[in-house]
Amino acid sequence: MQRSKTTVNNLIYIALAILAIGIYFLVDGLQMFKNDYYVSHDMLSALNENISHVPDSEYNSLKYHIASLINLTVILFPVTFAGLRFHISFKKTQDSDKTDVRWLISIARPVLGLLAFYYILTLGTVFSHEIFTDFYALNSWYGYLRIFLAFLVLSASVIDWPRFIKAIKNMPQAHPLIAKTLFVFGISVISCCLLEFQTGSKMNVMSTMLLFNIMYWLLLQILIDLVSPSVRIGAGVSLILAFVIGLVNDVVYQFRGNYVLFGDITVVKTALEVAGGYVYKPGVWFFISLALLIISFALVIFLRFPDEQGRSKKGIKPKEILIRAVAVELLIGGIIVSFSTGLLYNYIFGIGWDYNENIKNAGYIPYFLSNMSSINSVECEGYTPEAASLAIEDALRDEETGDNDSYVMPNIIIIQNEAFSDLAVAYDIETDQDYMPFIHSLTENTLKGYLNMSITGGPTANTEFEVLTQTSLQFLPYGSVPYTQYTNHEIPTVATMLESQDIPYHTVAYHSYYSSGYKREGVYSYFGFDEARFEDSFLTDYPESDMIRHILSDEADYRVVEEMFEDYRTVSSDPWFCFNVTIQGHGGYTEDMTFEDPVTVTNFDAAQSINTYLSLIKISDTAFMHLTEYFEKVDEPTVIIMYGDHQPSFDDEASEDLSAHPADHETGDQSLYSYYVPYVIWANYDIPEEDFMGQSASDGIYNTLSTNYLVSYALGAAGMRLPDYDRYLLRLHETVPAVTAIGVWDSNGDYYPDAARSSEADLLKGLEYVQYNRIFDKENILFAHYLLN
């Protein structure tokens, strides 16, 4: 009878708690439904701009309203219920008089609590006329925390603490199922915090995704609990895993400027090889997460559930084992189905150029899972080999054909210079000397400007892929690494095109670092290179004078290129092509270095790593000067194409300094300027001359060339005979001068976040067909269009 009465009382208090939360919504939250302004529409708009292929209707305001209400109900219900269920008695006992101090305190506590409740919700402005001013910032973890804190203070002011503490102590014994449910859910919330505190969101995720981010840890614990004797095991695994994943992302973000996505897992070995030059600097969020981990783990260790202790002595019955096995299978099956359909991550697709922002909005795990799904299933709607061929033929149908059959077949050197960039493009930087004096001085037989990139901070191999395959990451899932994920068969590239010339080129790939990076050795074979050279033993094969920061300098790298050219000339006079990937400028600029002629920022007190980076750029500029001086004396036509693979990734101190001094650009999103790097096309014979770079970044002209066009543009200017595909790209370049993973620019300079939304969507759809044929449809590759004769 007593148990029945307790159950009825609990149900009454549950109803009262729901009613209290409902009243709060009516007072304040109802305004959400009356005015869409309060739905954080700026974030919603940004999300729809950055994530492709998701109908706008999927992110309507009603969905955000409902998600906000659900999230707040989950957050507010425990404290509201506790305040109502374990409230102090406001009745005076018969033996007390009107001056009983304890009775007066029991009255004063809720009054003060109510004032504090109102004070917190009005952001500390007691006389505010806009009640609960900041309720509508529900896409902010701060907003949730503030509202929860207000209700917590109110509940704390009316709780009979001795009775409440006694109930908590007795709960594991009296109500083990409820106790374990609350324990598992609490650990899930803490695990979510441990991860998100160390990534971009800091728990600042969208309303629609907050419970999703908690759900993953809940599922993990349930799965472990079904196969283990104690919920504490699942809790421990959840806490440690969440902290480690968060820490890894914090470290990688410091090194590279991006978080870890599914594609990065395939290049772990490469990342470890280059990690030696970096120094991790833990920030405040690391220490907050570490403290939370220690406190939570102490709770897990010392907390005991009596029913589990009894079961461990008696053992688990066969019937229970069977039930648990079936539950595990059903849970795993449900996870697989919900993952494959997109339910597991709320249809947030892992495609978008600024995935750091997407991770901030959606949370890390949902975006990681969606990215994994999209990477593993690259499809092209409407594609057929005939459609791809028709796109090329239509573009060339009205092409003017000249009678000039005299083509140049120069030696070609393409240099992808590690992290070579001009920081003044994105930041207001003044230095005590020009850090690219030679490149700025080049005018004769030179084309130069700024190249639109698909990446910033890395990975290097993605720019390699775009340049050599002459394709764009615009049509691939963002976060993918094609070298390690899609390159498992022969793909037409610049190398195979040059080998189809009237006199086949001898093609060489040279990387002045380990062969294991991004599986380059196998990739270069699939790309059709005649030979590939790496420096797996550079530490013992080269003197210290050839090293900068314990890696091969650009000067030493280019000397190897010259030696390889000379060696080949002893056996053949055929034209020679070398694709060279340097290493000197690789990240890790915090190491103390002494330069003979250092570059120093003068307009603000810059972190040392910024000055180190700019000094390295000047050394690269000098090395490039020496390379051109060498080939200027070579009595054969030679073209050198040099560009940076991406802008650098800096440590936190340098990043803060730079972000505080953005370049003053009149147009465009400031973040887009992190995706420009210099390019130089130089020849030792007459070629057209064009300078889109100027003597300073402020003189530069942007959005004129992207990596997929670079080789066609350079070889066309060099006077070479080009196959259909390169001529097709040059025709397309006239209309759409830049196509990258972060968007496209048309000939009017207008920017579109993806090809489908651009003014030239139909033309770019044809490009997508051609690219899909070139990379994925190995049974129907259009060699007749890609190669000469």
Side-chain angles (χ1 to χ4, degrees):
M1 188 69 181
Q2 184 66 32
R3 184 180 182 86
S4 176
K5 183 178 179 181
T6 302
T7 302
V8 171
N9 286 340
N10 285 335
L11 290 174
I12 292 173
Y13 290 121
I14 288 173
L16 287 174
I18 294 174
L19 179 62
I21 296 171
I23 291 172
Y24 172 73
F25 287 145
L26 289 174
V27 171
D28 189 36
L30 189 63
Q31 296 301 317
M32 289 195 305
F33 294 94
K34 294 181 178 180
N35 193 338
D36 281 348
Y37 174 79
Y38 298 115
V39 191
S40 190
H41 53 77
D42 291 337
M43 180 176 292
L44 175 59
S45 175
L47 179 71
N48 282 331
E49 285 294 311
N50 290 336
I51 298 182
S52 307
H53 312 307
V54 181
D56 290 345
S57 59
E58 290 288 334
Y59 294 97
N60 55 56
S61 59
L62 180 61
K63 183 176 181 180
Y64 276 78
H65 297 327
I66 294 174
S68 297
L69 297 182
I70 293 173
N71 291 333
L72 265 189
T73 301
V74 171
I75 289 173
L76 300 183
F77 180 79
V79 294
T80 307
F81 173 78
L84 293 169
R85 177 69 177 82
F86 300 100
H87 64 82
I88 57 177
S89 174
F90 298 106
K91 295 180 180 179
K92 290 193 298 181
T93 58
Q94 293 181 353
D95 56 347
S96 63
D97 54 39
K98 294 182 180 180
T99 60
D100 190 339
V101 175
R102 289 174 297 178
W103 180 77
L104 291 175
I105 291 176
S106 68
I107 295 295
R109 277 173 56 191
V111 172
L112 294 174
L114 188 61
L115 287 174
F117 172 81
Y118 181 81
Y119 185 80
I120 295 171
L121 287 179
T122 54
L123 299 178
T125 309
V126 175
F127 302 104
S128 170
H129 296 291
E130 298 180 19
I131 189 170
F132 309 161
T133 309
D134 200 31
F135 171 90
Y136 307 106
L138 287 182
N139 286 304
S140 155
W141 180 246
Y142 165 76
Y144 283 114
L145 183 62
R146 185 175 54 78
I147 296 167
F148 174 75
L149 179 63
F151 273 80
L152 184 64
V153 169
L154 181 60
S155 295
S157 68
V158 299
I159 285 179
D160 183 344
W161 284 99
R163 189 159 67 97
F164 179 69
I165 294 172
K166 183 179 179 180
I168 295 296
K169 287 181 177 180
N170 293 335
M171 181 176 287
Q173 181 70 46
H175 307 285
L177 183 60
I178 295 176
K180 285 192 284 188
T181 300
L182 293 175
F183 173 76
V184 170
F185 185 79
I187 292 295
S188 300
V189 173
I190 294 171
S191 299
C192 181
C193 292
L194 289 174
L195 172 56
E196 298 301 327
F197 281 170
Q198 298 182 86
T199 59
S201 77
K202 305 293 184 288
M203 287 300 290
N204 187 21
V205 298
M206 298 179 301
S207 299
T208 50
M209 298 306 299
L210 182 59
L211 292 181
F212 272 88
N213 282 272
I214 297 172
M215 176 190 69
Y216 305 113
W217 302 108
L218 195 62
L219 289 174
L220 174 65
Q221 289 186 84
I222 292 173
L223 189 61
I224 295 176
D225 293 344
L226 288 172
V227 297
S228 66
S230 173
V231 294
R232 296 188 301 146
I233 296 175
V237 172
S238 179
L239 291 171
I240 293 174
L241 188 61
F243 180 80
V244 170
I245 294 174
L247 177 60
V248 168
N249 274 280
D250 190 25
V251 171
V252 171
Y253 185 82
Q254 281 196 25
F255 294 169
R256 199 182 70 183
N258 294 314
Y259 296 108
V260 178
L261 290 188
F262 181 72
D264 299 310
I265 295 175
T266 62
V267 294
V268 169
K269 185 177 181 182
T270 302
L272 293 175
E273 287 173 351
V274 299
Y278 294 98
V279 177
Y280 172 62
K281 296 181 178 180
V284 63
W285 287 103
F286 165 81
F287 292 107
I288 291 174
S289 300
L290 182 61
L292 183 59
L293 175 68
I294 294 172
I295 294 171
S296 303
F297 218 76
L299 176 66
V300 171
I301 292 173
F302 293 108
L303 191 64
R304 293 289 185 271
F305 293 97
D307 66 319
E308 289 184 348
Q309 293 176 328
R311 187 174 61 189
S312 63
K313 295 178 181 179
K314 298 177 182 178
I316 303 176
K317 297 178 180 179
K319 181 179 179 181
E320 185 177 351
I321 294 176
L322 179 61
I323 293 173
R324 285 174 174 242
V326 172
V328 168
E329 292 181 3
L330 291 175
L331 182 60
I332 293 176
I335 291 173
I336 293 173
V337 170
S338 58
F339 173 76
S340 62
T341 59
L343 285 170
L344 194 63
Y345 42 86
N346 200 27
Y347 301 102
I348 298 292
F349 288 94
I351 306 173
W353 72 266
D354 189 353
Y355 65 78
N356 287 337
E357 187 67 20
N358 292 333
I359 286 173
K360 176 183 176 181
N361 293 340
Y364 177 73
I365 295 182
Y367 197 79
F368 180 92
L369 292 175
S370 62
N371 177 257
M372 179 170 65
S373 177
S374 63
I375 281 176
N376 287 331
S377 56
V378 180
E379 297 179 355
C380 182
E381 185 178 353
Y383 164 79
T384 63
E386 292 75 20
S389 179
L390 186 62
I392 296 176
E393 292 166 3
D394 282 348
L396 301 180
R397 199 176 305 280
D398 60 347
E399 183 183 36
E400 296 182 6
T401 56
D403 297 329
N404 182 17
D405 292 330
S406 61
Y407 296 101
V408 182
M409 296 186 64
N411 300 308
I412 302 167
I413 300 169
I414 298 179
I415 299 169
Q416 180 167 296
N417 195 314
E418 175 65 41
F420 187 85
S421 76
D422 185 354
L423 292 186
V425 167
Y427 308 104
D428 179 20
I429 285 183
E430 297 176 9
T431 54
D432 60 349
Q433 60 176 307
D434 189 349
Y435 45 85
M436 287 192 288
F438 175 69
I439 290 175
H440 284 152
S441 71
L442 282 174
T443 55
E444 187 177 2
N445 299 323
T446 300
L447 296 158
K448 60 183 180 180
Y450 290 106
L451 196 63
N452 290 58
M453 310 303 292
S454 287
I455 59 171
T456 185
T460 293
N462 281 8
T463 299
E464 278 184 61
F465 183 84
E466 286 189 312
V467 170
L468 288 173
T469 63
Q470 299 171 274
T471 60
S472 174
L473 294 180
Q474 164 68 210
F475 305 108
L476 294 177
Y478 204 77
S480 59
V481 183
Y483 264 30
T484 60
Q485 293 168 307
Y486 307 136
T487 309
N488 53 13
H489 61 279
E490 293 184 3
I491 296 176
T493 63
V494 174
T496 52
M497 183 273 285
L498 292 174
E499 289 172 356
S500 73
Q501 294 282 334
D502 294 336
I503 302 176
Y505 275 70
H506 180 73
T507 58
V508 181
Y510 172 52
H511 179 36
S512 51
Y513 207 57
Y514 301 122
S515 59
S516 56
Y518 296 106
K519 301 182 180 179
R520 281 190 179 94
E521 195 164 19
V523 168
Y524 290 156
S525 175
Y526 286 128
F527 281 3
F529 282 96
D530 293 322
E531 62 175 295
R533 172 171 171 173
F534 303 92
E535 299 293 355
D536 288 302
S537 305
F538 66 90
L539 291 173
T540 56
D541 291 348
Y542 292 86
E544 186 64 30
S545 58
D546 284 342
M547 304 290 178
I548 294 181
R549 299 180 303 153
H550 313 295
I551 52 181
L552 215 59
S553 67
D554 283 356
E555 189 77 42
D557 176 294
Y558 297 159
R559 192 164 60 248
V560 172
V561 172
E562 296 164 6
E563 292 170 355
M564 287 193 298
F565 171 73
E566 292 174 356
D567 290 343
Y568 184 68
R569 278 292 166 262
T570 64
V571 297
S572 176
S573 60
D574 290 346
W576 188 74
F577 167 57
C578 178
F579 178 73
N580 174 212
V581 180
T582 72
I583 191 67
Q584 174 191 293
H586 204 284
Y589 312 112
T590 54
E591 181 179 345
D592 290 335
M593 290 190 61
T594 302
F595 296 95
E596 291 184 4
D597 188 19
V599 178
T600 303
V601 175
T602 58
N603 60 321
F604 61 91
D605 187 16
Q608 182 56 44
S609 54
I610 299 175
N611 294 327
T612 296
Y613 173 77
L614 294 173
S615 299
L616 290 170
I617 293 297
K618 188 171 186 298
I619 293 173
S620 291
D621 180 81
T622 302
F624 185 69
M625 177 181 68
H626 294 159
L627 180 67
T628 58
E629 288 173 347
Y630 173 87
F631 279 98
E632 194 169 28
K633 299 173 184 176
V634 171
D635 191 22
E636 299 175 26
T638 301
V639 174
I640 300 177
I641 306 163
M642 196 271 280
Y643 61 92
D645 58 344
H646 53 70
Q647 288 196 22
S649 176
F650 285 106
D651 58 278
D652 287 349
E653 181 184 1
S655 297
E656 290 174 3
D657 288 347
L658 292 171
S659 62
H661 298 85
D664 184 17
H665 294 292
E666 295 181 1
T667 60
D669 183 346
Q670 174 64 27
S671 62
L672 294 177
Y673 288 90
S674 297
Y675 291 84
Y676 298 113
V677 299
Y679 73 86
V680 180
I681 302 168
W682 173 90
N684 64 358
Y685 63 99
D686 287 340
I687 65 169
E689 296 164 356
E690 194 89 62
D691 184 1
F692 292 114
M693 183 182 295
Q695 292 298 309
S696 67
S698 60
D699 301 328
I701 300 173
Y702 305 104
N703 310 316
T704 61
L705 188 68
S706 53
T707 47
N708 60 313
Y709 297 126
L710 176 63
V711 173
S712 301
Y713 174 71
L715 300 189
M720 292 192 63
R721 183 183 175 212
L722 300 178
D724 292 350
Y725 180 69
D726 289 81
R727 301 200 320 276
Y728 161 68
L729 289 179
L730 291 177
R731 293 299 299 273
L732 186 63
H733 176 251
E734 296 172 4
T735 307
V736 190
V739 182
T740 73
I742 68 171
V744 301
W745 286 259
D746 63 19
S747 56
N748 296 320
D750 295 327
Y751 166 74
Y752 303 89
D754 61 64
R757 305 183 194 186
S758 76
S759 58
E760 303 294 343
D762 291 341
L763 281 177
L764 291 171
K765 189 63 179 177
L767 178 62
E768 184 179 4
Y769 291 157
V770 176
Q771 177 168 316
Y772 188 85
N773 174 269
R774 194 171 173 93
I775 299 174
F776 296 105
D777 190 3
K778 57 185 177 182
E779 302 297 330
N780 301 288
I781 295 178
L782 301 173
F783 286 109
H785 288 304
Y786 302 148
L787 309 178
L788 286 166
N789 300 328

